[in-house]
Amino acid sequence: MASHDAARPLTGKVALVTGAGRGLGRAFAERLANLGADVAIHGMREDGPAEYGEGTTLTAVAEAVAADHGVRTVRVLGDLTKGDDIEHIIETTSRSLGAIDILVHNAGGDIAAAGGKPDPNDAVGIREQDVRAVLDRNLLSTILTCQAVARGMMERRTGRIVTIGSVAAFKGRTQGSIYAVAKAGVTHYTRCLADQLRPYDITVNCIAPGDTRTGRFMGTRAVDQARMVETGTLDRIATIDEVARVVEVFAGPLGAFVSGQVLRVDGGGQCWPG
C-alpha cells in the first residue's frame, strides 16, 4: 500500500482542468489522473475534442480518463468568460467529486471571434472583435476562473493553482501580438495571485510552453518536419507529454514550497529572464 500511495500522491485530491477535451488540456488531466486525482474535465463544447481529430466528445474523454486511470471524473461544460458559467462548473465539480484541490487553467488559444486564427493577426491590423475575443479567451478567463476557485481554496486554506501561459508572453512579435499580450497578462496575474495567496498555503504557478505538437498546432500551420524529431536535439517541437509532465511538479508534493513561478517548457528556446 505504501508504494502504491507513493506512485499516486494525488489520491483523494480533486482537480479541475479547463480546456481538457483535447491537446495539452487532456494530457494535463491524464497526468493528474495517473497520479490518483479525481478530475473534472471541462470544455466549452461537447464536440470540442473532434475539432482537430483528437477525440469525439467531452463525455467520452471523461469516461476514458476514468477507465484508464481508475479515478472518478465528471464532464463540465461552460464559457469561462462568464462568471455564472464558472460558478456552475465549480458547483458541479464539488457536488460530483468534492471541493477543488487543484486547478489547471489550460483553456485559451489565439482564436478569432468567429473561430480560427485572427486574420489579420498583427499588432495594428487585428480587428476590434478579435482583440476582444483573444483577450477574453485567454486573460479574462484566467482571472475569472482563478478568482472563483481561489475563494474556496482560501476558505479551506489549501490548494494548488496552475495557469498555462506561453513563451509568446516574453518577446515582442508582430504576428499573434494580442495573444502574446494576453499571455503576458496571464503571467503577471499568476504572480499577483501567488502573492495574495501565500498566507493561505496556496501555491500559484504558470507553465509557459513553446511549440507543442497538439492537434490544433499541427492543424493550423505549416510545420518544419526537421523539428518533428523526438531525440538528439532540443531544437524541436515538444511532444505533448513533455509539457504535461511538468504539472506534476506544480500540483504534487514536489512543488509544496514553489509559488509565483513561470516555467518555460521550450527546450531552451528562450534563455533570458522574464
Side-chain angles (χ1 to χ4, degrees), residues 171-192:
K171 181 181 179 182
R173 48 193 264 171
T174 298
Q175 293 299 317
S177 55
I178 302 305
Y179 174 75
V181 168
K183 289 301 192 181
V186 168
T187 300
H188 202 60
Y189 178 74
T190 300
R191 294 180 176 127
C192 293

Side-chain angles (χ1 to χ4, degrees), residues 3 8 14 28 30 42 54 63 74 76 84 107 109 121 127 130 138 143 148 153 195 199 207 212 220 228 249 259:
S3 62
R8 290 169 70 87
V14 174
F28 290 131
E30 298 263 13
H42 161 268
E54 295 176 279
E63 290 172 348
V74 62
V76 286
D84 289 346
N121 197 19
R127 298 180 179 91
D130 292 338
N138 293 280
I143 295 170
M153 290 180 172
D195 187 61
I207 298 172
T212 307
T220 55
M228 289 296 290
V249 176
S259 193

Side-chain angles (χ1 to χ4, degrees), residues 13-17 29 32-33 37-41 65 71-74 97:
K13 301 292 187 182
V14 174
L16 167 61
V17 182
L32 295 172
D38 298 321
V39 186
I41 306 285
V65 172
V71 298
R72 298 179 301 152
T73 62
V74 62
L97 303 178

Side-chain angles (χ1 to χ4, degrees), residues 50-134:
E51 188 171 358
Y52 293 99
E54 295 176 279
T56 53
T57 65
L58 199 63
T59 300
V61 170
E63 290 172 348
V65 172
D68 290 347
H69 301 285
V71 298
R72 298 179 301 152
T73 62
V74 62
R75 151 236 189 248
V76 286
L77 281 172
D79 182 343
L80 301 177
T81 66
K82 298 177 179 176
D84 289 346
D85 279 24
I86 296 168
E87 290 299 336
H88 177 70
I89 288 164
I90 293 172
E91 289 168 11
T92 303
T93 300
S94 300
R95 186 171 62 249
S96 300
L97 303 178
I100 298 168
D101 300 294
I102 300 162
L103 168 65
V104 179
H105 180 62
N106 166 77
D110 192 11
I111 300 171
K117 279 196 173 293
D119 184 18
N121 197 19
D122 61 285
V124 176
I126 184 172
R127 298 180 179 91
E128 180 181 340
Q129 63 264 36
D130 292 338
V131 171
R132 294 181 185 278
V134 173

Side-chain angles (χ1 to χ4, degrees), residues 170-261:
F170 306 108
K171 181 181 179 182
R173 48 193 264 171
T174 298
Q175 293 299 317
S177 55
I178 302 305
Y179 174 75
V181 168
K183 289 301 192 181
V186 168
T187 300
H188 202 60
Y189 178 74
T190 300
R191 294 180 176 127
C192 293
L193 186 62
D195 187 61
Q196 182 170 352
L197 297 185
R198 287 186 72 210
Y200 298 90
D201 201 24
I202 300 165
T203 69
V204 190
N205 293 288
C206 180
I207 298 172
D211 292 348
T212 307
R213 52 190 84 181
T214 63
R216 185 165 73 193
F217 180 88
M218 301 300 291
T220 55
R221 71 207 72 207
V223 176
D224 178 0
Q225 290 304 305
R227 297 183 68 219
M228 289 296 290
V229 298
E230 295 186 18
T231 58
T233 177
L234 294 177
D235 185 12
R236 55 184 173 79
I237 299 172
T239 67
I240 290 174
D241 183 64
E242 285 172 326
V243 177
R245 68 181 67 151
V246 177
V247 81
E248 181 175 348
V249 176
F250 288 150
L254 291 173
F257 203 59
V258 178
S259 193
Q261 302 306 305

